[in-house]
Amino acid sequence: MFHLRIKILLISLFVALTLSASTSSDAEKHYRAGEWAVADSLYAQLLKSSPNNRIYNHRYGVCLYEQRKDLAKAEKCLYKSKRAGIALSAFYLGRVCFLEYKFDDAISNYQYYQNRTNSKDKNQAITEGITRCEKGQSMLDRTEDIKILDRIEVNKTQFYNHYELSKEAGAFLNDAGAIDEDSIAPNSTIYQTERGDRVFFVLSENGKTNLYYKNRLIDHWSEKVALGENVNTEQDENYPFLMSDGIMLYFSSKGHNSFGGYDIFVTRYNASQNKYLPPQQLGMPFNSPGNDMLFVVDEFHNIGWFASDRDCEEGNIAIYTFVPNSTIKLLETKNESERRKAARISNEIIDTTENNVDEVAYWPNESQQAEERKINFIVNDSLRYSSINDFMSSDAQSTYLKYEATALQFDSISNTVANKRILYSKTSSSKEKADLITEITTLESKTYNLEEQRDQLLLTTRRIELETIRANGGYSKPKPEPVEEEINSQEEEIIDHVSPWETRPAEVTENKIDKPFFYNKTLYKYYDKIYSDEAIEKLITANKQKAKAANKQYLADYIMREYNKPEPEDGFYEKIFSYDTTFTPELSQQEMISKVKRISNESAKLLIEANYLSVYTLKGQNVLLSEKTKEEKYRSEMQDYMQRSAFKLQEANQQIYVSEGVYTRNKENLARGNNDLKESIKLLETTSLKYLQYLYDQQQELKAEKPIPDNYNTEEQIKEETTSPVQKTVERTEIESKQVKQEVLKEEYRIQVGSFSRILNESDINLPNLSYYKYPDKNLYRYFTGSYTNQMDAALGLEEVKAKGYKDAYVVKFENGIPVK
């Protein structure tokens, strides 16, 4: 028996060795034939049984490099084979590190191999590689800080058709005959300017491509003109785009000491010399070790595109959408890893899947109320104000407040214009389009004037303040504190009711949502006391849309959860069939996924539209609340929060829209934009809370009065159900320090109309529920109207009393019959 086992073991070992030898032989054959995909799968199989084999590691790493596939794994395998004594691994390791933007490591590996080889071919490749690495490191150190909105990977053929240019940015043509040319270079573009008076195109000549242009004459095109030796080189030039100024031209070239294959360059037309100037190379992340091309900026929508084959499958190209900077803005981080990610535009930069962010209710605590309002005003290179009270000149401070109000108005109208444009893109009625064009034109004219006023007020503020500082022999106040970038907030419990953002979408139904949703519990109690009926109706409409959006997303999640099971639950198809009759068991996986994506997109659009409706409704109401607030301190703080909200709204616009009125198809950008919208709503709610705080603090200015006699004419006191958040904090502190009063506290609020020297008849003061108190030591009668259980209701009653002519009326609070401050 023992001998039988030995024989079986030996036979198994022989078979394994034979198979291994066969696999190794096949792998080497495919490797030497340059069949990288087949070879890499075979070497991956061999490495499972021999993970430290230096030949397998080297060749597997080379296969991955040649396919530009899993470079991190290629680096690991090549590093292992290099340490095992294969010098050639260092050469490929240099190439891999170059593609990973690890330029210093690439140079080190190139030099390592150079010291161990006499190959002239490799020496030339090493010299060129080191030169490119040095240039790459220099470009990496000057990486530009740009905001990438989207990345889509498409087929290289006519990829430019995926650029969604407005008419104002020109157009790409597909027909060479339209410009009186027989043919243009393969895989090139024809760009026509907005007015259609000039075209730029590419022709093949002597095995390379050059750039040409033509001008439109009355009824035909002019003769073609080459762009000249400053632009065209001995290498290929391609992909031209002319900016709207008619001077700045972007193009791609393999010459001009390019860093990768095609690099993006920019040149300017010199009218006096009638030629284009020597071009400049764009920095990272626009250029890379790969082919980078077709840089386009749509100035009308302030959006740009460029294409690159970095990190793409064979035959594909990636189109990046970005927000152009008005001037070159370099990345400030000193972290090399972060700089590489930004330069490569790695998926970590673009992929911003929705995070689970805790919703926070904004309400300033007592310590924050005592703080001065924060600003960010640069006086000169050495002085920056972080508080509104840092100004030495009261005139400068007043002018700055006017600047803030103008800036807020500018932002508000700009957002309205953006909204009108969205409506314009969605309507099909020619009359409505005509009316919207008139409105948009009028509003844009206002924004131009407001922008000029805003900028002039800022300059005037700085001039007045600097003159005051000079007249006083320097800045005499304590040095301003640094500006705090983040908004301080006190986390508060969320009101317990249904919301798509707070609960499982399956629980959200329209009939459950009968009040507008707010993040803040206090605001939720008072919403119907500070907002108009029209605003409340809009907010309820927004909530119904959120409910629909949540249910759609729940349906999409349910479908995918059940569909991915070996057997969906009973009644699965009946459930989804009731929603959409096109759902059937015969659907392929691809068809099912396509339908689910459509439902998810519908959900995302509904939710975003609902959020926009909430933002614009809350903003309009808060402008009215700001106008009703008399004290400048509170009004300025409210306007500050509204301005911050406007900035968040702008960020949301940039994330959600890739062109006028068109939702981006990138799910991550939708999620990011929707988070910005939620932040905008939070800030607007903070404005409303400030208004409540303003009303409450008005009451705290009352001084304590003498006790009212027992015969004071009033209804039975009832305990207040709701008080302001600040008052709650004060009362909570008192209770903790005094260990709870033994008696039940009874509170009420009444409105003092005035003091009179005689007893009045009811007709003398035409107000309901009158009562009075006579001072013991003088003939003076103090008259009150109304009886309220909380200060908010009393504040609203006070407005009605003042509207009837009693301008000096104010609210008095009583605890167990004793007036309190």
Side-chain angles (χ1 to χ4, degrees):
M1 188 70 180
F2 174 76
H3 295 291
L4 180 60
R5 289 179 179 176
I6 292 296
K7 286 182 180 180
I8 293 173
L9 181 62
L10 290 173
I11 291 171
S12 301
L13 181 60
F14 175 76
V15 171
L17 289 172
T18 303
L19 290 174
S20 177
S22 176
T23 304
S24 176
S25 176
D26 290 342
E28 182 176 2
K29 181 177 68 173
H30 291 296
Y31 177 83
R32 296 193 181 281
E35 297 170 350
W36 311 115
V38 179
D40 101 55
S41 62
L42 293 173
Y43 280 118
Q45 182 180 344
L46 289 166
L47 281 170
K48 288 181 180 178
S49 57
S50 303
N52 295 319
N53 186 297
R54 63 178 196 160
I55 299 295
Y56 296 166
N57 274 290
H58 171 78
R59 291 180 176 176
Y60 184 52
V62 172
C63 289
L64 294 175
Y65 160 74
E66 293 292 351
Q67 299 174 87
R68 305 298 191 268
K69 172 184 170 184
D70 202 342
L71 294 176
K73 186 180 289 184
E75 181 184 1
K76 182 178 179 181
C77 290
L78 289 168
Y79 181 73
K80 186 181 289 187
S81 58
K82 171 190 168 183
R83 292 196 64 181
I86 299 181
L88 186 58
S89 293
F91 174 78
Y92 282 99
L93 197 54
R95 293 195 163 187
V96 169
C97 289
F98 174 77
L99 294 178
E100 293 183 305
Y101 291 63
K102 299 177 180 179
F103 301 114
D104 288 339
D105 291 345
I107 292 173
S108 176
N109 278 289
Y110 278 140
Q111 290 173 342
Y112 176 93
Y113 181 68
Q114 192 175 39
N115 294 331
R116 289 163 174 78
T117 183
N118 294 319
S119 171
K120 292 182 179 180
D121 292 339
K122 286 288 190 292
N123 273 329
Q124 184 178 354
I126 288 170
T127 301
E128 293 174 356
I130 290 176
T131 301
R132 293 179 70 190
C133 286
E134 289 172 344
K135 185 170 186 176
Q137 187 61 50
S138 175
M139 293 175 69
L140 183 65
D141 293 339
R142 293 182 55 80
T143 299
E144 292 188 38
D145 187 0
I146 63 168
K147 192 168 190 176
I148 300 293
L149 298 179
D150 198 6
R151 177 189 186 274
I152 59 171
E153 192 167 326
V154 300
N155 189 277
K156 282 184 178 180
T157 306
Q158 295 185 338
F159 69 90
Y160 50 84
N161 287 330
H162 293 273
Y163 285 40
E164 299 178 7
L165 274 69
S166 65
K167 292 181 180 179
E168 293 77 9
F172 293 108
L173 306 180
N174 291 319
D175 182 14
I179 61 172
D180 297 340
E181 285 292 326
D182 294 333
S183 64
I184 62 170
N187 301 318
S188 66
T189 56
I190 305 173
Y191 171 72
Q192 185 176 41
T193 59
E194 171 199 354
R195 293 184 295 178
D197 59 350
R198 182 179 292 185
V199 289
F200 291 82
F201 55 98
V202 183
L203 295 180
S204 297
E205 296 175 324
N206 301 322
K208 68 183 189 69
T209 56
N210 288 327
L211 295 177
Y212 286 83
Y213 73 88
K214 285 185 175 184
N215 292 321
R216 182 72 181 178
L217 304 179
I218 295 175
D219 58 354
H220 65 281
W221 290 99
S222 69
E223 291 296 321
K224 60 179 176 286
V225 180
L227 265 64
E229 61 183 9
N230 281 343
V231 175
N232 290 324
T233 67
E234 295 300 318
Q235 303 295 325
D236 290 336
E237 276 72 43
N238 208 330
Y239 309 109
F241 172 77
L242 187 70
M243 294 290 285
S244 60
D245 60 8
I247 296 174
M248 188 177 294
L249 177 76
Y250 289 93
F251 67 98
S252 298
S253 174
K254 292 182 179 179
H256 301 289
N257 295 318
S258 72
F259 171 59
Y262 273 119
D263 273 9
I264 301 172
F265 293 84
V266 61
T267 181
R268 290 177 174 274
Y269 179 70
N270 188 324
S272 61
Q273 299 179 13
N274 190 28
K275 66 178 183 180
Y276 283 93
L277 299 173
Q280 293 180 328
Q281 185 182 36
L282 269 61
M284 293 178 181
F286 300 113
N287 283 319
S288 72
N291 290 293
D292 306 290
M293 58 202 76
L294 198 54
F295 183 96
V296 173
V297 173
D298 186 336
E299 295 174 282
F300 185 74
H301 289 126
N302 192 37
I303 200 164
W305 300 268
F306 69 96
S308 177
D309 63 4
R310 70 186 84 172
D311 302 324
C312 288
E313 293 184 6
E314 186 69 26
N316 284 0
I317 196 165
I319 298 174
Y320 295 90
T321 308
F322 69 97
V323 180
N325 294 326
S326 55
T327 58
I328 294 177
K329 179 183 177 184
L330 297 182
L331 201 67
E332 294 182 356
T333 180
K334 295 181 180 179
N335 185 296
E336 190 76 7
S337 177
E338 290 180 7
R339 190 178 298 279
R340 280 199 297 268
K341 286 180 182 178
R344 293 181 68 179
I345 320 181
S346 66
N347 290 335
E348 293 179 39
I349 301 295
I350 302 171
D351 185 7
T352 53
T353 51
E354 189 168 10
N355 296 321
N356 296 322
V357 181
D358 293 335
E359 308 297 355
V360 178
Y362 282 87
W363 179 264
N365 57 33
E366 289 182 308
S367 63
Q368 290 172 312
Q369 294 162 30
E371 291 178 355
E372 302 167 343
R373 186 168 67 82
K374 300 298 183 183
I375 63 172
N376 185 8
F377 176 65
I378 299 173
V379 184
N380 55 31
D381 291 341
S382 59
L383 188 61
R384 183 174 73 159
Y385 291 170
S386 59
S387 166
I388 193 68
N389 293 328
D390 286 338
F391 284 95
M392 289 187 65
S393 166
S394 58
D395 289 339
Q397 185 186 62
S398 176
T399 307
Y400 182 81
L401 293 173
K402 291 179 182 176
Y403 153 76
E404 286 190 322
T406 306
L408 182 65
Q409 191 178 1
F410 168 79
D411 291 334
S412 177
I413 295 178
S414 297
N415 289 331
T416 303
V417 170
N419 204 30
K420 295 285 185 185
R421 285 177 177 159
I422 295 169
L423 290 175
Y424 179 87
S425 69
K426 292 182 177 180
T427 185
S428 57
S429 167
S430 56
K431 183 181 183 307
E432 290 180 6
K433 281 183 176 289
D435 292 340
L436 283 169
I437 288 174
T438 303
E439 289 183 59
I440 291 170
T441 305
T442 303
L443 289 171
E444 283 183 336
S445 177
K446 289 183 180 180
T447 61
Y448 297 148
N449 295 332
L450 284 169
E451 187 173 21
E452 187 177 349
Q453 291 176 26
R454 179 197 65 186
D455 296 343
Q456 188 59 47
L457 284 167
L458 192 63
L459 291 172
T460 303
T461 302
R462 187 173 288 112
R463 177 180 58 77
I464 296 173
E465 185 67 5
L466 287 171
E467 288 176 356
T468 304
I469 292 172
R470 283 194 291 269
N472 284 272
Y475 188 77
S476 58
K477 289 188 174 185
K479 187 176 180 181
E481 294 291 330
V483 176
E484 293 183 11
E485 298 296 340
E486 297 183 358
I487 306 169
N488 292 323
S489 62
Q490 178 180 1
E491 188 169 352
E492 188 175 349
E493 181 186 356
I494 305 300
I495 187 68
D496 183 20
H497 79 290
V498 178
S499 157
W501 295 333
E502 299 297 328
T503 62
R504 286 180 65 248
E507 299 173 4
V508 181
T509 59
E510 288 187 46
N511 56 10
K512 282 188 179 181
I513 300 179
D514 56 356
K515 291 183 179 180
F517 171 70
F518 290 98
Y519 290 86
N520 189 280
K521 180 170 62 177
T522 303
L523 189 60
Y524 183 75
K525 289 180 179 178
Y526 296 125
Y527 80 96
D528 54 352
K529 300 187 187 305
I530 61 176
Y531 289 138
S532 67
D533 292 340
E534 181 184 0
I536 293 170
E537 184 178 346
K538 287 183 179 180
L539 293 171
I540 292 175
T541 300
N543 263 33
K544 289 180 178 180
Q545 279 193 258
K546 292 172 190 174
K548 290 179 181 178
N551 282 326
K552 280 181 179 290
Q553 189 56 52
Y554 176 75
L555 175 66
D557 294 341
Y558 167 76
I559 292 172
M560 290 310 298
R561 184 176 66 247
E562 293 299 322
Y563 186 75
N564 287 326
K565 290 180 179 179
E567 288 293 334
E569 70 175 11
D570 293 339
F572 168 69
Y573 283 104
E574 287 76 5
K575 286 182 182 179
I576 60 176
F577 189 81
S578 64
Y579 171 79
D580 187 338
T581 57
T582 63
F583 279 105
T584 65
E586 289 74 27
L587 288 175
S588 68
Q589 184 180 23
Q590 191 61 38
E591 290 171 333
M592 181 69 82
I593 291 174
S594 177
K595 286 180 176 292
V596 171
K597 283 183 177 179
R598 175 177 57 79
I599 297 172
S600 292
N601 287 338
E602 290 172 359
S603 170
K605 289 181 181 181
L606 276 173
L607 186 56
I608 287 169
E609 287 172 356
N611 288 344
Y612 270 117
L613 180 59
S614 298
V615 168
Y616 286 114
T617 302
L618 293 173
K619 190 167 185 178
Q621 287 295 299
N622 287 339
V623 169
L624 298 177
L625 297 181
S626 176
E627 292 174 354
K628 289 167 68 175
T629 306
K630 294 182 179 180
E631 288 190 36
E632 180 61 32
K633 171 192 172 185
Y634 290 97
R635 186 164 60 249
S636 297
E637 289 179 348
M638 291 165 71
Q639 289 173 347
D640 177 55
Y641 283 117
M642 280 190 276
Q643 187 175 28
R644 296 185 190 191
S645 173
F647 291 150
K648 274 293 174 187
L649 190 60
Q650 288 177 357
E651 290 183 13
N653 271 318
Q654 291 175 351
Q655 294 295 339
I656 293 170
Y657 296 101
V658 293
S659 61
E660 181 181 341
V662 179
Y663 284 101
T664 178
R665 295 177 182 176
N666 185 293
K667 181 180 179 181
E668 289 73 24
N669 283 338
L670 283 176
R672 193 190 317 181
N674 195 49
N675 279 337
D676 287 335
L677 282 173
K678 289 193 283 185
E679 288 297 322
S680 185
I681 292 173
K682 284 184 184 180
L683 291 165
L684 290 173
E685 289 172 349
T686 307
T687 304
S688 304
L689 291 169
K690 273 291 175 187
Y691 178 71
L692 291 178
Q693 182 68 41
Y694 160 72
L695 293 179
Y696 172 74
D697 285 353
Q698 278 187 319
Q699 314 314 318
Q700 305 311 301
E701 297 174 0
L702 297 172
K703 296 182 179 179
E705 300 285 351
K706 293 182 179 180
I708 292 180
D710 293 337
N711 62 353
Y712 175 63
N713 180 20
T714 181
E715 299 176 1
E716 181 182 357
Q717 305 280 336
I718 61 174
K719 188 176 182 179
E720 181 190 16
E721 296 179 356
T722 57
T723 55
S724 84
V726 174
Q727 185 177 342
K728 283 182 179 179
T729 304
V730 174
E731 290 178 353
R732 195 182 306 117
T733 305
E734 290 176 350
I735 289 173
E736 289 174 357
S737 60
K738 297 178 181 179
Q739 300 301 315
V740 186
K741 296 180 181 178
Q742 296 299 317
E743 59 179 304
V744 177
L745 185 65
K746 295 181 179 180
E747 302 174 347
E748 76 164 338
Y749 297 82
R750 294 179 71 81
I751 299 171
Q752 179 169 320
V753 182
S755 297
F756 303 90
S757 58
R758 62 183 178 85
I759 297 177
L760 303 179
N761 297 320
E762 191 170 338
S763 58
D764 293 328
I765 301 179
N766 188 21
L767 293 171
N769 198 13
L770 279 177
S771 59
Y772 70 86
Y773 159 63
K774 182 181 182 303
Y775 284 97
D777 55 348
K778 58 181 72 172
N779 290 327
L780 201 60
Y781 300 87
R782 190 178 177 196
Y783 277 81
F784 299 88
T785 181
S787 175
Y788 304 92
T789 59
N790 60 74
Q791 64 93 17
M792 188 64 206
D793 289 341
L796 294 172
L798 177 63
E799 291 184 9
E800 295 176 3
V801 172
K802 286 187 175 182
K804 292 181 179 180
Y806 300 95
K807 302 296 184 183
D808 296 327
Y810 58 89
V811 174
V812 178
K813 178 187 176 184
F814 297 94
E815 292 181 354
N816 293 335
I818 300 174
V820 296
K821 182 177 178 180

